[in-house]
Amino acid sequence: MQSGMKKIAVLTSGGDSPGMNAAVRSVVRTCAYHGVECIGVYRGYEGMIEGDFTTLNARSVRGIINKGGTMLKSARSKEFRTVEGRQKAYENIKKEGIDGLVVIGGDGSFTGALVFNQEFGFPVMGIPGTIDNDIVGTSHTLGFDTALNTVVDAIDKIRDTASSHNRLFFIEVMGRDVGHIALNCGIAGGAEEILIPEEDLGLDRLVESLNKSRTSGKTSSIVVVAEGDKIGKNIFQLKEYVDENMEGYDVRVSVLGHMQRGGAPSCFDRVLASRMGVKAVESLLNGESNYMVGLLNGKMELTPLENAIKGKTKINLELLRVSDIMST
């Protein structure tokens, strides 16, 4: 290792996601492995501003790899968006003797890390933690796989009711700007239609598709809707439109909400978090800075934070085609 770093801090910021605790554990234990002190920052950037730090060692993070949420807590900091707020944060971490920072979060958290680095030249490394899987530079963000399993389990349960009562269910999943959760879970859950922000199906075509499904002999249907879908103002407007333009269906709505962010992380997310934590710490110790750790083609790779923030993930066109075929 080349950097001479003796103390590395870790924080979680923005929305929580399953796997954040596993990533914190990995950062702490990788620091311990290399003889580097690790400092936990409570409540993200707000904790940096207030100097809310704690020393973490290998034993401090035992028993958390299977826990959802984040032991370091998370908060959005308005003050960190100001020059004065970032100056306070910088003074606190320098006073603590911290040499580098690992930020676990999404694009908002990475934007804060990038600005902090640009203003103070402070070494930062990002680990992508968000269930939306909307960060460029990694095939999977922490929590995405767990969220998929949570949603599919819910869809399976709702389908039991849908088939028992000949009902049409609109199921809303998270995804304000991207439809990765909806598309994957729609296919896995056998949905008749999948509505995502990237594809505007249109209300008339939706009704036409549902009528076609019923004509083919389906007595119940599941439609998975990403919260950012552009067809209607919201999922309840979709229900009203179908109520008015289709007969014979008892239409219901289920909004899964924040349950998608909770729960024990999947095996995949635990392993991914462990790999990302090791890569993040060892990259800092090797003198790297201003990067995000990501999974690309099965390997841990570094992507410049600026590219991760400014890039836009693309929907998988093969999955779109598969969903069309499977809904036949």
Side-chain angles (χ1 to χ4, degrees):
M1 301 299 168
Q2 308 164 359
S3 69
M5 285 190 179
K6 295 180 180 179
K7 193 178 288 191
I8 291 176
V10 58
L11 63 81
T12 51
S13 175
D16 65 292
S17 65
M20 279 187 166
N21 274 328
V24 170
R25 173 181 180 269
S26 179
V27 168
V28 173
R29 292 197 169 177
T30 305
C31 284
Y33 179 83
H34 289 289
V36 176
E37 190 175 350
C38 189
I39 301 296
V41 182
Y42 286 113
R43 297 175 296 110
Y45 293 125
E46 196 71 8
M48 278 177 62
I49 292 171
E50 297 177 8
D52 195 358
F53 305 143
T54 185
T55 300
L56 299 173
N57 58 40
R59 302 287 73 80
S60 303
V61 291
R62 64 186 174 191
I64 68 168
I65 193 171
N66 61 322
K67 306 293 185 184
T70 163
M71 66 169 281
L72 292 177
K73 310 299 182 184
S74 186
R76 302 185 190 279
S77 176
K78 289 184 179 180
E79 192 175 358
F80 194 77
R81 296 179 183 178
T82 68
V83 175
E84 295 78 13
R86 293 190 294 272
Q87 182 66 42
K88 285 183 192 176
Y90 178 70
E91 290 171 0
N92 281 332
I93 62 174
K94 291 309 291 182
K95 184 165 56 177
E96 187 69 26
I98 295 168
D99 304 306
L101 176 66
V102 177
V103 175
I104 306 170
D107 56 357
S109 304
F110 291 164
T111 299
L114 181 63
V115 172
F116 192 69
N117 171 270
Q118 291 170 342
E119 288 180 346
F120 304 105
F122 196 82
V124 295
M125 192 65 59
I127 293 178
T130 167
I131 67 168
D132 290 327
N133 207 42
D134 58 351
I135 303 290
V136 169
T138 185
S139 62
H140 291 75
T141 56
L142 289 182
F144 178 56
D145 184 72
T146 304
L148 294 184
N149 287 309
T150 298
V151 172
V152 169
D153 184 60
I155 291 174
D156 289 346
K157 289 178 170 62
I158 291 170
R159 184 175 287 282
D160 290 343
T161 292
S163 59
S164 296
H165 296 274
N166 292 345
R167 285 176 178 161
L168 163 62
F169 266 89
F170 284 106
I171 302 175
E172 183 183 272
V173 301
M174 284 185 168
R176 187 170 56 242
D177 301 308
V178 293
H180 298 303
I181 292 177
L183 182 56
N184 282 271
C185 291
I187 292 173
E192 279 63 44
E193 284 295 343
I194 304 168
L195 308 183
I196 57 177
E198 295 88 344
E199 294 282 316
D200 188 353
L201 183 64
L203 287 168
D204 292 336
R205 191 178 147 206
L206 172 62
V207 170
E208 179 184 342
S209 174
L210 292 173
N211 278 323
K212 183 179 177 182
S213 293
R214 189 166 57 183
T215 302
S216 71
K218 293 181 179 179
T219 58
S220 64
S221 290
I222 297 288
V223 177
V224 176
V225 185
E227 60 182 321
D229 174 64
K230 303 298 192 294
I231 291 183
K233 291 180 181 177
N234 54 57
I235 195 170
F236 296 99
Q237 187 189 55
L238 288 178
K239 175 190 181 306
E240 291 173 5
Y241 187 85
V242 171
D243 278 336
E244 294 169 0
N245 291 275
M246 285 186 70
E247 294 182 358
Y249 268 131
D250 180 9
V251 186
R252 299 296 173 92
V253 168
S254 182
V255 178
L256 298 187
H258 284 80
M259 67 177 290
Q260 296 161 84
R261 279 191 186 171
S266 64
C267 175
F268 181 90
D269 276 329
R270 298 182 200 191
V271 174
L272 180 63
S274 300
R275 295 176 68 187
M276 285 181 166
V278 171
K279 182 70 173 178
V281 171
E282 293 189 341
S283 295
L284 281 174
L285 294 178
N286 280 323
E288 303 281 8
S289 175
N290 241 13
Y291 288 99
M292 181 199 78
V293 177
L295 179 66
L296 293 173
N297 300 316
K299 296 180 179 180
M300 285 293 108
E301 304 286 357
L302 297 179
T303 296
L305 277 178
E306 188 171 8
N307 294 356
I309 294 164
K310 292 184 177 179
K312 184 174 176 58
T313 58
K314 296 179 180 178
I315 207 71
N316 189 320
L317 296 179
E318 181 196 0
L319 289 184
L320 277 178
R321 183 167 179 270
V322 168
S323 71
D324 286 339
I325 295 172
M326 291 298 103
S327 63
T328 300

